[in-house]
Amino acid sequence: MDQPQPSPDDSLSAAAEAFERLRPRLFGIAYRVLGSVSEAEDVVQDVWERWQGADRGAVRDSGAFLAKITTRLAINVAQSARVRREAYVGPWLPEPVDTSVDPQVGAERGEALELAVLLVLQRLNPVERAAYVLREAFEYAYDEIAGMLQLSQADTRQLVSRARKRLSAGRREPVDAAQHRRLLDAFVAAARHGDVAALENVLSSDVVAYADGNGMRGVARLEVVGAGPVARISAFARKFFPGAGYDVVEANGRPSLLLVQDGVAVALVSVTAGPDGIDGLYWVLAPDKLRAYERSAGRLDGRP
């Protein structure tokens, strides 16, 4: 007797379940390669559409298949995004992502998630970036990465090694999580009251501040260096955003400062810290990036 065949609806339902299970990982790959919540969301949506039209019966490993599509699409988007970012006004920073709803953003490891690391990653070419992300954040084997990137294993290993060296050269030894939080809390308390002296006390002498406002009036368009200047601009936020609330939230796996004015997020500040204090401040002020951060909190509620 002939066995009943699954209906197209049953097949699509199974495909949707498989995709939904893998969605956080796919988002995590795309986000790390692109440094953009909105672009990563678009890539994941494109992957879903391709998954619907794929010959799924011929796919032996849906996870590997979808990761490969995600990686290739993210590389393509990154190559076109580079041109757009050349016209950006002032420092470009990655879009922050709310990781409180999904602490690992689909990854087994937290590599390449902090804003500071994502910023350095953006200085690599898209293929180098993808190779590093797949290996360091998601622990794919070199032969798997080589297949995704259509490279030899030797070339893949070289890409990952080169990316590691570039990232290690651009990073200082960080403090532990507890000390990082203590420094952030001290910074928040001082910034809330506009206390320049207290701010200087928690900053390293060669601290660097980046402000991403994409041309917003009153926002520095160059990096600001040194404890004194950085303390003064940090204290000025109290006047720049009068009446704003100062809240500690989670962004990119780290506690960060969120300024909210009249119910709207107006700034998100991520910090890096070393033995001498806070050595990096990353002010995200561009409204579209702040909206992407707010939207990212609900990304797991979405369905393909």
Side-chain angles (χ1 to χ4, degrees):
M1 176 182 284
D2 291 338
Q3 295 294 319
Q5 298 298 311
S7 70
D9 287 346
D10 291 340
S11 176
L12 187 57
S13 177
E17 288 179 9
F19 183 85
E20 191 61 26
R21 186 173 63 253
L22 293 162
R23 178 195 285 269
R25 170 177 286 237
L26 304 181
F27 177 87
I29 292 170
Y31 173 69
R32 285 167 170 81
V33 172
L34 295 166
S36 166
V37 173
S38 52
E39 289 174 351
E41 290 171 338
D42 289 344
V43 165
V44 172
Q45 181 60 31
D46 197 353
V47 173
W48 163 241
E49 292 171 2
R50 293 180 184 226
W51 180 231
Q52 291 180 83
D55 180 7
R56 296 185 296 275
V59 176
R60 289 192 289 182
D61 184 338
S62 57
F65 179 82
L66 291 169
K68 179 176 181 178
I69 296 175
T70 301
T71 300
R72 298 303 305 176
L73 289 175
I75 288 172
N76 291 341
V77 172
Q79 289 168 336
S80 61
R82 175 171 290 182
V83 176
R84 296 196 304 274
R85 289 171 189 172
E86 287 175 355
Y88 205 80
V89 181
W92 179 93
L93 295 177
E95 288 179 359
V97 62
D98 184 338
T99 47
S100 64
V101 294
D102 177 20
Q104 297 299 325
V105 194
E108 285 72 26
R109 301 172 65 190
E111 295 293 329
L113 185 57
E114 295 177 32
L115 281 188
V117 179
L118 285 173
L119 182 59
V120 178
L121 266 181
Q122 295 299 310
R123 296 167 186 164
L124 307 178
N125 72 54
V127 177
E128 284 179 323
R129 209 181 306 162
Y132 178 86
V133 165
L134 291 168
R135 180 62 184 170
E136 294 300 306
F138 295 91
E139 297 184 304
Y140 282 98
Y142 283 106
D143 60 335
E144 294 176 294
I145 301 171
M148 292 181 192
L149 301 180
Q150 299 177 328
L151 297 170
S152 69
Q153 284 196 51
D155 286 342
T156 301
R157 288 179 180 275
Q158 188 174 38
L159 283 178
V160 173
S161 176
R162 188 158 61 227
R164 282 175 179 156
K165 290 176 182 176
R166 291 280 297 276
L167 264 77
S168 63
R171 298 182 69 190
R172 295 182 179 183
E173 188 65 29
V175 295
D176 62 31
Q179 177 65 359
H180 182 277
R181 180 58 190 262
R182 283 193 291 270
L183 287 167
L184 176 66
D185 287 344
F187 174 84
V188 172
R192 180 185 283 122
H193 296 99
D195 189 334
V196 174
L199 283 164
E200 286 192 58
N201 284 338
V202 298
L203 302 174
S204 70
S205 61
D206 57 353
V207 61
V208 181
Y210 307 83
D212 180 336
N214 195 17
M216 284 177 62
R217 186 175 180 180
V219 176
R221 299 188 181 186
L222 297 173
E223 300 165 8
V224 178
V225 182
V230 172
R232 287 191 291 274
I233 65 166
S234 299
F236 182 69
R238 185 165 172 260
K239 296 181 179 179
F240 196 74
F241 299 115
Y246 286 61
D247 301 316
V248 175
V249 298
E250 184 175 315
N252 295 69
R254 284 283 199 175
S256 301
L257 167 61
L258 183 69
L259 275 66
V260 179
Q261 186 180 47
D262 298 325
V264 177
V266 291
L268 187 140
V269 189
S270 176
V271 308
T272 56
D276 298 327
I278 292 173
D279 51 36
L281 284 164
Y282 302 83
W283 290 78
V284 178
L285 301 156
D288 58 333
K289 294 188 175 183
L290 293 170
R291 300 295 82 76
Y293 168 78
E294 293 176 322
R295 190 172 65 251
S296 72
R299 70 184 179 280
L300 294 185
D301 295 331
R303 292 293 183 267

